[in-house]
Amino acid sequence: MSSTELPGVRAAAAAVAPTVSAVRVAEGERLRSVTLPGLTLTVRSRPPERAGLPPALFVHGLGGSSQNWTALMPLLQDVVNCEAVDLPGFGDSPPPDDGNYSVTGHARAVIRFLDAGGRGPVHLIGNSLGGAVAIRVAAVRPDLVRTLTLISPALPEIRVQLSAAPTALLAVPGIVSLFARMTRDWGAEQRTRGVMALCYGDPARVSADGFRDAVAEMERRLALPYFWDAMARSARGIVDAYTLGGQHGLWRQAERVLAPTQLVYGGRDRLVSFRMARRASAAFRDARLLTLPDAGHVAMMEYPEAVAQAFRELLDECGGS
């Protein structure tokens, strides 16, 4: 494994899309590029307050990036060594060489990163698609996971919410190119407002600076030549994972997770139904549940203090390791 410090956007991405602006790095954060055979991942980290703290890895959802954890990581840097990964094709990570954007493909990328760095077992924290990825990692490689924290995890639902339908449609062949043509006149600000309306329980909670940064990131992502392809293939990967049965089904894998698990669900989530909280609590062997009535799909961005407190309590129950 090779690792290179990044002052901003990775050089390879700049070579592909030289007009793309730099990735935002909050004060106290660092970016580095981790290169493995057929795979390059960008990792965002926040140095721990002291040496010897246990490692934690954060995994974002569909269309997100490691920036989704910028509000949460400072609240935990006194108890864990925080790293957040950009999944292949998202954030500042380029597409995987094999073009595999399935949940299993993303899980393999996480496993390879942890194995190569000898970093596990970690406190694994995932949101949405990242939650499904984290479940699969915990089920197939329990040696890599100390605890599991899932924020609105993408688990199969029999009755999908109507508001989630447009996201699922991204998986239909041809829809992405059609949508791209239909919305070619939409600016980054309009797209950002749409995403926030879908993901936040109350978009008004986003600060002016936060909205400005989100628009800049949207502009950067839209300029990448593989943006829509990564979105479509990853959405298709979620749909495919939902249809798998037997030992490979996500609910069956949830039942196999041995790690103590913290679940977080938002009452205003428009993508993952709040009613799934009860089923998820029953599926995991050692689960505890935090419900946030006013939160949407990204509770770690809306209510980072509440999510941080839940994680701390989980850590305390596990002896602080």
Side-chain angles (χ1 to χ4, degrees), residues 15-35:
V16 174
T19 61
V20 175
S21 59
V23 173
R24 185 176 71 88
V25 183
E27 184 178 356
E29 290 183 346
R30 298 174 182 172
L31 290 182
R32 75 180 192 277
S33 181
V34 177
T35 302

Side-chain angles (χ1 to χ4, degrees), residues 131-132 134-142 148 150 154-157 241-259 261 276 279-280 282-286:
I135 291 168
R136 189 146 289 175
V137 171
V140 302
R141 288 293 304 276
L148 187 63
L150 304 172
L155 284 163
E157 300 182 41
Y242 277 20
T243 63
L244 285 176
Q247 296 299 317
H248 299 290
L250 284 171
W251 283 112
R252 184 67 62 86
Q253 291 193 320
E255 294 170 354
R256 290 166 49 193
V257 171
L258 301 176
T261 302
M276 300 303 292
R279 181 179 178 185
F284 290 91
R285 300 186 188 193
D286 182 9

Side-chain angles (χ1 to χ4, degrees), residues 3 24 26 30 55 96 153 167 177 296 300:
S3 177
R24 185 176 71 88
R30 298 174 182 172
T167 303
S177 58
M300 72 286 186

